[in-house]
Amino acid sequence: MVFEDCICFRLGKTVKQVSRVYRKAISRYRLTHGQFFMMVAILEQEGLLPSELARKTAQDRATTTGLLDRLEKDDWIERRPDPDDRRSLKIFLTPRAEKHKAGILSLFEQTNQKFLNCFTPDEWSRMQTFLTRLSNVEQVD
């Protein structure tokens, strides 16, 4: 096997390129890559608990907390008490985020579509199957 055929290398190289395109597109909002995708998750569904956002974005809780802390500091989100459980805080958009909601979602859709256009619908369906299969490989000991 040659180095360039290593799946980890190829996926990593692809992720870097995709991330580079997203970083350039989101720079106008002064959001990091992680913050941007957390914002999209919140824009899709407000009022989730941080633990629910962690699952939705496939982040660990510590990373999620850090992203939410920064988004709150920069006035993108606010934490509000859960009326059903005062010990819990739910995540909501601020007026600033509401103002930029359409632009952020449009940027997300356009940038994602740029990559999806590399595939036919059948190829994308198969790619999703392949990625799911890779995600479910057990850790090598």
Side-chain angles (χ1 to χ4, degrees), residues 119-133:
F119 303 99
T120 66
D122 182 57
E123 288 172 334
W124 178 237
S125 178
R126 287 186 292 151
M127 174 67 100
Q128 289 176 298
T129 300
F130 299 151
L131 292 171
T132 299
R133 207 181 302 164

Side-chain angles (χ1 to χ4, degrees), residues 137-141:
V137 170
E138 292 187 31
Q139 185 176 4
V140 178
D141 292 328

Side-chain angles (χ1 to χ4, degrees), residues 12-31:
K13 183 177 173 184
T14 302
V15 166
K16 284 181 188 176
Q17 176 58 25
V18 170
S19 296
R20 194 174 302 122
V21 171
Y22 268 101
R23 270 195 309 276
K24 183 177 178 188
I26 65 177
S27 64
R28 71 182 90 156
Y29 294 104
R30 296 186 178 185
L31 293 167

Side-chain angles (χ1 to χ4, degrees), residues 27-46:
S27 64
R28 71 182 90 156
Y29 294 104
R30 296 186 178 185
L31 293 167
T32 66
H33 193 255
Q35 290 169 343
F36 176 75
F37 284 103
M38 184 61 69
M39 279 297 299
V40 171
I42 297 165
L43 290 166
E44 276 188 354
Q45 186 178 5
E46 281 187 87

Side-chain angles (χ1 to χ4, degrees), residues 35 60-72 79:
Q35 290 169 343
D60 61 45
R61 285 185 177 200
T63 300
T64 299
T65 298
L67 290 169
L68 294 174
D69 287 347
R70 183 59 192 252
L71 289 170
E72 185 175 43
R79 292 171 165 110

Side-chain angles (χ1 to χ4, degrees), residues 28-31 35 39 42 70-78 92-98 100-101 104:
R28 71 182 90 156
Y29 294 104
R30 296 186 178 185
L31 293 167
Q35 290 169 343
M39 279 297 299
I42 297 165
R70 183 59 192 252
L71 289 170
E72 185 175 43
K73 180 180 176 279
D74 292 343
D75 195 35
W76 288 103
I77 59 117
E78 61 184 5
F92 292 89
L93 301 172
T94 62
R96 176 185 185 203
E98 288 288 349
H100 294 287
K101 183 176 184 173
I104 290 172

